[in-house]
Amino acid sequence: MKFEAIAVEKIPIIQKGDNLSSIICERIELQDRDIVIIASTIVAKAEGEIFRLEDIIPGEQALEIAARTGKDARFTQAVLARSREVFVETPFMLVTTISGHTCVNAGVDESNIEHGFLLYSPEEPDTSASQLGEKLERLSGKRLSVIITDTNGRAFKIGQTGVAIGIYKIKPIKRWIGEKDLFGKILEITEEAVADELAGAANLLMGEGAGGIPVVVIRGLDYYFEGDASIKDTYRPESMDVIKKGLRCLREKN
C-alpha cells in the first residue's frame, strides 16, 4: 500500500476574486478520488479576508486586554472580531472562533501578507471547501475531496502542524470502535483524525516560510465520501471537553 503527496507548483500570489479552482486545475491533472489540500491563506486571500491594521478601531474589550498584555489593541480587536469565546489572553490569545475552531489568535495572521495588513481565516471554512470542491469537480470531471488547512500548535508539545479547518466530501474521523486489534480484542475508544493526519502530511510539502506551495494533492488514499460531512464532527461536545472546562475555571478565578 502506498500514497503520493504531490505539490502543486507555480501557484501565483493570490488576489481577491481569483478563481482558485481554475488556477489549480491549470497546474495539475486531477484524478478520480484525489484529495485536494489547500492552505487557508490563499482561500482567505481569494475571498478578500484582508484588512489594513491601521483601519481597525479597537473596542473597549480590546483596549482592556491590550492594556493588560501590552499587545497592539488593533490586532487584539481583529482577533476578538472572529472569536466567540476567549480562554487565554497572554502570552497569546487562545480562542474559539465563530466557526467553532479553537486556536491561537483566531487564525488572524501577519505572515505571508504585505506589511501593515492582516489576513483573516475563512469565516466559514466548510462552506469555502464545498464551493471550491464543487468547482474543482466541474472543471476536472472527477470525484474529489477537499481539505482546507491551517497550522496549529499542540497543547502539550512544542511546534506546529497542519490541521483541517474545513472539508468537502471526506469524513474527518475514522471510527475503529467495534473493530478487532491484532490479538482479537475489541477496540472501544479509537477514533482516527484522518483529515488532520492528511493536513499534517501535506504541510510537510507546504512548509511554513517562503516555499510558496499552498496546494498539495494526496493520491492513492480513498477517503471519498458522497454524503454530508463537516469539520465540526471533530469538535468535542461541550460536556466532554475537560480542557475548556478547566480553562474557564482558571479564567473565572482570575
Side-chain angles (χ1 to χ4, degrees):
M1 178 183 293
K2 67 177 182 177
F3 71 91
E4 296 179 277
I6 306 165
V8 181
E9 299 183 288
K10 297 183 180 179
I11 299 289
I13 299 297
I14 299 300
Q15 307 292 334
K16 179 180 179 180
D18 282 351
N19 189 327
L20 285 183
S21 300
S22 293
I23 290 170
I24 293 168
C25 285
E26 288 167 0
R27 286 160 178 79
I28 187 170
E29 186 175 346
L30 294 169
Q31 297 183 11
D32 205 43
R33 299 177 184 263
D34 277 350
I35 304 167
V36 184
I37 302 184
I38 308 172
S40 62
T41 50
I42 65 167
V43 178
K45 286 180 179 181
E47 292 179 350
E49 295 285 359
I50 302 172
F51 299 87
R52 287 182 181 272
L53 186 62
E54 65 184 30
D55 292 337
I56 297 173
I57 301 173
E60 183 177 342
Q61 184 182 6
L63 291 168
E64 290 175 355
I65 292 174
R68 291 194 296 270
T69 63
K71 297 185 185 299
D72 190 320
R74 299 168 299 176
F75 184 86
T76 302
Q77 179 60 48
V79 174
L80 291 174
R82 285 295 171 91
S83 304
R84 69 184 190 198
E85 185 171 10
V86 178
F87 296 103
V88 175
E89 295 177 359
T90 186
F92 48 76
M93 293 182 72
L94 179 66
V95 308
T96 295
T97 67
I98 293 170
S99 65
H101 181 53
T102 300
C103 61
V104 171
N105 292 338
V108 178
D109 202 350
E110 294 179 282
S111 60
N112 289 310
I113 189 72
E114 291 83 354
H115 181 71
F117 288 81
L118 296 178
L119 185 65
Y120 285 13
S121 287
E123 190 165 3
E124 291 294 340
D126 274 340
T127 300
S128 298
S130 294
Q131 291 172 347
L132 284 166
E134 289 168 0
K135 292 176 183 176
L136 285 167
E137 287 185 320
R138 284 199 300 271
L139 288 170
S140 67
K142 308 297 183 182
R143 291 170 293 180
L144 305 168
S145 302
V146 172
I147 298 174
I148 294 177
T149 72
D150 201 353
T151 50
N152 275 192
R154 285 85 53 76
F156 306 105
K157 289 186 175 181
I158 295 170
Q160 293 77 40
T161 186
V163 299
I165 65 169
I167 58 172
Y168 171 72
K169 289 191 176 178
I170 183 171
K171 285 186 176 182
I173 300 291
K174 182 176 181 178
R175 290 179 169 84
W176 291 88
I177 297 169
E179 301 288 332
K180 293 181 181 180
D181 70 7
L182 289 173
F183 299 95
K185 290 179 285 189
I186 301 296
L187 299 174
E188 297 181 356
I189 60 173
T190 304
E191 296 178 294
E192 184 180 3
V194 169
D196 283 342
E197 289 178 325
L198 292 167
N203 200 63
L204 291 170
L205 294 180
M206 289 179 173
E208 292 292 335
I213 305 291
V215 181
V216 171
V217 172
I218 301 291
R219 182 168 294 163
L221 292 176
D222 189 358
Y223 287 111
Y224 181 81
F225 176 65
E226 187 64 50
D228 294 330
S230 170
I231 199 62
K232 293 178 175 62
D233 296 338
T234 67
Y235 301 152
R236 292 188 189 278
E238 287 291 318
S239 61
M240 297 173 58
D241 200 325
V242 296
I243 296 176
K244 283 185 179 179
K245 288 179 181 179
L247 290 170
R248 290 184 185 115
C249 287
L250 287 174
R251 185 181 61 201
E252 290 167 5
K253 287 182 180 179
N254 295 330

